[in-house]
Amino acid sequence: MPQRLPKRPGIVLASAQCVKLPNVMNKIAGYALGIALLGSAHSQADEGFWLPQQLDANSPLLAQLNLTAQERANGLPLPQLNQTVVRLGRCSGAFVSASGLLLTSADCVADYLPQDAAAGLNNSNRAAEQPLTGLTAKLLLQSRDVSSQVQRALGVATDAEDKAARLAQLKTTLLSDCESAADIRCQLVAEHHGLQYRLEQYRRLADVRLVYLPPAATDDNSSGWPRYAANYVLLRVYADDQGQSLAYNAAHQPLQSRFARLSDTALSEQQLILTALFVGQTRRYRPASELKFQFDSWYPQALTYQQQMLQLLRELVPAGSERSLRYGALLTQVQHQFERQQARLQQYHRSTLYNDKQAAQQALAQWISSSPVRQQLYGPALQQLESLLGQQQQLALRDLVLDYLQYARLPALARELYQLAQLPDNERAQAASQFSPRLAAFEQQFDARVDMELALHFLGQYASLPSALRVAALDQYFALNDGFNREIVKHKLSAIYRGTGLTRAQMRQYWLGRPASDFVQSQDPLLSFTVALAPALEQLAAQRQQLALQLEQARAAAMEVVLAYNEAHNIASYADANGSLRISLGRISGFAPADAVWYQPFSSLAAWQRRQGQAQVTEATPAIAVNFLASNDSCHSNPSGISFNQQGELVGVMFGAVPANLLSGWQYQAQTGRTVQVDARFIRWQLKQVGQTAILTELEHTAATAQ
């Protein structure tokens, strides 16, 4: 069952054959990927997911950003950030004491919190700090450029498939050498689709415990402004006497950590702040043609499927029925997905994103056409764009409906069981053990009639695809070659659902871990259908993989073109985000959401107290902001980060963004793109109000020690 949108392909500005471009590769480390395709003429302090090494004191980038002379003279506190910031899934946290005290957004740990934390957890001593099972923090120890080593190994590859195989082999070697201890984890990170590679080494910290959660960590205004959210949480990392934190152990002691001082200085408008964040995949460099496909074809089609599914579920799953217990979560999930995508589509139609992309590509095309040499070097690459991108877009529409077919859980389960069956004997038992909890939960999420109706509906949607995009084996089984006959398809589905043993928990458990030969010999109609369809699905997977490899190689060639353009125009910029640590520079700043409207950048403590129903605010109420707006770059789907001032003090916890940020994965909006953060001074004030004297003492002792 699909839990997220299918991945979309990237910009293709070059053919699969890479061309050697003069004097480009040596610019990557200093400037990273350019912004030519963003439609922006100049770099700004606000825009950009910068690698830490791009912002060091000797970087030429600093002179090109929108910093004042005094800000450049003061420098950036990168060493403090690098030593204190940790990764929590896709979120950021930071150590704020020498005893492993960790500050992050409450949203980041919501899935790990114990049930009694919902009303606020007020621990007065460390013995009461609760383990958060499954939550792991990762502290970045080292990021090393290994581009030369990787490129030498890949330089002898004969084609895209050979290159991928060599990269996989080299990755295994690099990670094996890097992970020198039990608590060390490493990853090979590709920038610019493989023009540059970095080997990142992290310390894994798995004994993480809950220290304090505010009683009301979220507010009732999830998208607008002003906001008054106490959206933060304090955790603590524990470790053994060797500093290792492999798993929870009651004998562990608080980790001795480097830390950032929690600021007690008021923020001011236009103040420069730095946000450390681990942003997932962004799409800032996608071409106008792909953007148009995404928002004019793919999103509308996905919304149509979601709307149809919602209508079908509401008809089949009446409120208060037994089925509503099984499908209530799915209904809510699809409804939320529909609302998010609809809002994103509406925002797109109000934006200038497509026109900006077109203008940027025209500038690139004019630069190429103005030189016969550039035409020869870069022209053939651009000519391949529509062919490769057109292939992918057609497959994407087919794969979209196939993904929604997986909401029919029983056929999807049969495919998963058969995939497990095809594993080698020594791997199958372990995989089956890991799969068993999902199988146990299947009974509470499945109803045969609802499942069959979902399969019937999306088979009808699949049948409307052009014949060239359909799967011959699927068409043949359901007699779709002459069109979709609902009665015929329903009859065949009914025979499958009536005849299969997988509708019973005992038989599902029986088939878990059975060898593939048993599936082949089975007379179960669903298993027979699954085995018959498997070769066609494997062929589709191979087709996707081959195209993905070609596209990745083409994107790398495209990035070389963009880098050449940027070098010629003295543009310094950043690579698309990919989950690694990035630094975003921004300013405390309000914005105008509409004509004659101006949002101030601070929501006040006095207003927060009135919203809480507290006594009349007096002159003694401190002038403290609860939340503030900042222009730091972020991705709307993952607005998590920790912000610092130029002294390296922690000033805010980023937890959200305004509605105008909905398209921030595609483009930074300087005028309206704002993140929402909890002010560090409010955190201090609230801890005092709820009597968290032990935490405050720890923070103050930490601050005094640091000084």
Side-chain angles (χ1 to χ4, degrees):
M1 180 183 69
Q3 298 296 321
R4 57 181 174 80
L5 298 178
K7 290 183 179 179
R8 311 298 326 127
I11 173 175
V12 184
L13 286 179
S15 68
Q17 299 297 321
C18 291
V19 291
K20 184 175 179 59
L21 306 180
N23 196 26
V24 169
M25 292 302 296
N26 61 340
K27 293 290 182 179
I28 294 177
Y31 294 114
L33 181 61
I35 58 172
L37 298 183
L38 290 178
S40 175
H42 303 284
S43 300
Q44 302 181 43
D46 313 83
E47 179 182 354
F49 300 119
W50 307 101
L51 294 169
Q53 54 267 37
Q54 289 183 268
L55 298 174
D56 65 33
N58 299 319
S59 172
L61 173 64
L62 294 181
Q64 300 185 37
L65 294 178
N66 186 25
L67 303 179
T68 66
Q70 186 61 51
E71 288 168 345
R72 285 195 291 271
N74 291 340
L76 303 177
L78 296 179
Q80 295 95 313
L81 271 65
N82 291 337
Q83 294 171 352
T84 61
V85 172
V86 302
R87 178 172 182 167
L88 292 160
R90 294 191 308 154
C91 296
S92 306
F95 287 114
V96 290
S97 87
S99 299
L101 194 64
L102 190 64
L103 177 66
T104 187
S105 160
D107 290 343
C108 289
V109 300
D111 292 340
Y112 303 94
L113 294 176
Q115 292 183 352
D116 61 350
L121 190 67
N122 192 339
N123 292 332
S124 59
N125 58 73
R126 292 178 182 175
E129 295 174 359
Q130 296 178 261
L132 298 182
T133 304
L135 181 62
T136 299
K138 294 181 179 179
L139 177 65
L140 182 62
L141 301 178
Q142 185 183 60
S143 180
R144 182 163 59 92
D145 191 327
V146 293
S147 303
S148 298
Q149 182 179 355
V150 175
Q151 298 298 351
R152 280 197 304 270
L154 303 184
V156 295
T158 57
D159 54 30
E161 289 78 6
D162 184 29
K163 181 178 179 180
R166 291 176 182 273
L167 179 59
Q169 183 178 12
L170 178 60
K171 179 180 178 180
T172 299
T173 301
L174 288 172
L175 296 187
S176 177
D177 294 341
C178 178
E179 295 177 348
S180 55
D183 62 341
I184 298 298
R185 295 293 182 270
C186 299
Q187 61 183 25
L188 183 64
V189 179
E191 306 288 355
H192 328 309
H193 303 289
L195 293 184
Q196 185 181 19
Y197 288 90
R198 289 180 296 106
L199 186 63
E200 294 184 342
Q201 186 183 64
Y202 291 85
R203 168 161 287 124
R204 182 174 179 270
L205 305 169
D207 189 351
V208 182
R209 307 182 194 179
L210 178 62
V211 176
Y212 174 71
L213 177 71
T218 58
D219 58 2
D220 58 0
N221 188 9
S222 60
S223 60
W225 182 258
R227 296 186 67 172
Y228 302 90
N231 200 318
Y232 71 93
V233 65
L234 285 162
L235 315 172
R236 195 183 305 279
V237 175
Y238 283 76
D240 62 19
D241 55 5
Q242 301 299 314
Q244 291 193 340
S245 177
L246 302 179
Y248 170 76
N249 189 318
H252 282 172
Q253 296 298 313
L255 177 74
Q256 297 303 298
S257 55
R258 299 292 183 97
F259 57 88
R261 180 180 182 273
L262 204 63
S263 175
D264 59 3
T265 303
L267 295 168
S268 59
E269 288 194 56
Q270 296 305 310
Q271 179 178 340
L272 178 69
I273 63 173
L274 294 78
T275 302
L277 64 174
F278 294 88
V279 181
Q281 297 293 331
T282 56
R283 306 175 179 186
R284 298 278 175 90
Y285 301 94
R286 305 297 172 95
S289 56
E290 183 179 355
L291 183 73
K292 183 176 178 62
F293 167 76
Q294 183 81 27
F295 285 92
D296 289 354
S297 298
W298 197 88
Y299 271 135
Q301 187 62 67
L303 286 172
T304 297
Y305 291 155
Q306 291 160 13
Q307 201 166 26
Q308 292 170 351
M309 188 169 176
L310 288 171
Q311 181 178 351
L312 191 61
L313 287 174
R314 286 165 182 157
E315 292 173 356
L316 295 171
V317 185
S321 66
E322 182 182 348
R323 288 176 179 169
S324 68
L325 298 177
R326 299 175 186 268
Y327 285 90
L330 177 60
L331 189 62
T332 301
Q333 173 194 326
V334 177
Q335 180 66 43
H336 289 170
Q337 189 180 50
F338 175 80
E339 292 170 356
R340 287 194 301 268
Q341 292 185 13
Q342 188 177 52
R344 190 176 291 113
L345 191 60
Q346 292 170 348
Q347 182 72 21
Y348 169 75
H349 288 304
R350 291 193 296 264
S351 75
T352 62
L353 178 55
Y354 180 65
N355 291 336
D356 293 343
K357 291 286 186 182
Q358 280 190 312
Q361 286 187 209
Q362 289 172 3
L364 180 63
Q366 290 172 1
W367 176 71
I368 293 173
S369 64
S370 65
S371 164
V373 174
R374 289 196 289 268
Q375 290 179 37
Q376 184 178 5
L377 281 173
Y378 310 143
L382 298 179
Q383 292 170 9
Q384 295 297 319
L385 172 63
E386 293 305 324
S387 175
L388 285 171
L389 193 55
Q391 290 179 46
Q392 190 283 327
Q393 290 171 356
Q394 291 298 309
L395 298 183
L397 291 175
R398 179 199 64 196
D399 290 345
L400 180 62
V401 70
L402 291 179
D403 279 346
Y404 276 88
L405 258 174
Q406 292 184 66
Y407 278 109
R409 288 171 168 164
L410 199 63
L413 174 65
R415 287 193 294 274
E416 290 182 290
L417 291 174
Y418 187 46
Q419 289 171 351
L420 285 175
Q422 293 172 295
L423 294 174
D425 292 345
N426 60 330
E427 297 179 19
R428 189 168 63 249
Q430 180 179 0
S433 176
Q434 295 173 347
F435 190 79
S436 187
R438 289 178 53 195
L439 201 62
F442 186 86
E443 185 72 24
Q444 285 73 45
Q445 302 171 343
F446 170 77
D447 177 88
R449 184 192 169 195
V450 175
D451 206 64
M452 191 184 79
E453 289 294 334
L454 289 172
L456 178 62
H457 176 80
F458 285 109
L459 277 171
Q461 300 302 307
Y462 158 81
S464 67
L465 293 173
S467 58
L469 294 178
R470 298 209 301 268
V471 183
L474 196 59
D475 288 355
Q476 182 178 358
Y477 191 90
F478 288 105
L480 300 176
N481 290 314
D482 297 326
F484 180 75
N485 186 309
R486 180 180 175 84
E487 293 306 316
I488 292 177
V489 175
K490 186 173 183 178
H491 175 75
K492 289 180 174 290
L493 281 173
S494 296
I496 288 176
Y497 277 80
R498 284 197 310 268
T500 182
L502 292 186
T503 55
R504 302 190 301 274
Q506 183 179 2
M507 291 305 296
R508 291 194 293 269
Q509 192 64 45
Y510 170 81
W511 284 105
L512 178 62
R514 304 297 298 178
S517 58
D518 286 5
F519 281 75
V520 173
Q521 297 170 8
S522 172
Q523 299 301 309
D524 185 295
L526 179 54
L527 297 183
S528 297
F529 168 70
T530 301
V531 171
L533 192 62
L537 296 181
E538 291 173 2
Q539 186 177 3
L540 292 184
Q543 182 186 32
R544 295 187 196 100
Q545 177 67 11
Q546 184 179 23
L547 181 57
L549 293 174
Q550 292 173 347
L551 285 172
E552 189 67 8
Q553 193 162 323
R555 292 171 196 155
M559 293 303 98
E560 289 188 302
V561 177
V562 175
L563 283 168
Y565 176 92
N566 288 347
E567 181 184 352
H569 294 81
N570 196 31
I571 298 175
S573 55
Y574 57 94
D576 252 325
N578 56 10
S580 60
L581 176 62
R582 301 299 179 96
I583 307 298
S584 170
L585 280 67
R587 297 186 183 279
I588 309 297
S589 175
F591 73 105
D595 182 47
V597 177
W598 177 257
Y599 280 160
Q600 298 291 335
F602 302 105
S603 62
S604 71
L605 177 60
W608 180 84
Q609 288 180 314
R610 286 191 290 268
R611 288 167 60 93
Q612 297 294 315
Q614 296 184 7
Q616 181 67 31
V617 178
T618 68
E619 293 183 0
T621 299
I624 292 176
V626 177
N627 296 158
F628 64 85
L629 295 173
S631 62
N632 299 72
D633 209 344
S634 73
C635 187
H636 191 273
S637 61
N638 180 34
S640 165
I642 303 296
S643 295
F644 302 82
N645 59 23
Q646 279 196 275
Q647 290 71 48
E649 298 172 329
L650 194 153
V651 297
V653 179
M654 179 195 296
F655 68 91
V658 298
N661 264 36
L662 277 171
L663 301 178
S664 57
W666 295 84
Q667 183 185 52
Y668 175 80
Q669 294 286 345
Q671 299 303 317
T672 57
R674 296 294 183 271
T675 63
V676 183
Q677 311 199 27
V678 185
D679 195 306
R681 297 179 76 211
F682 171 74
I683 295 175
R684 282 179 173 275
W685 177 87
Q686 191 181 56
L687 290 171
K688 182 178 180 180
Q689 299 306 303
V690 296
Q692 286 290 344
T693 55
I695 296 176
L696 285 169
T697 300
E698 182 176 352
L699 292 173
E700 295 304 330
H701 176 74
T702 289
T705 303
Q707 293 172 355

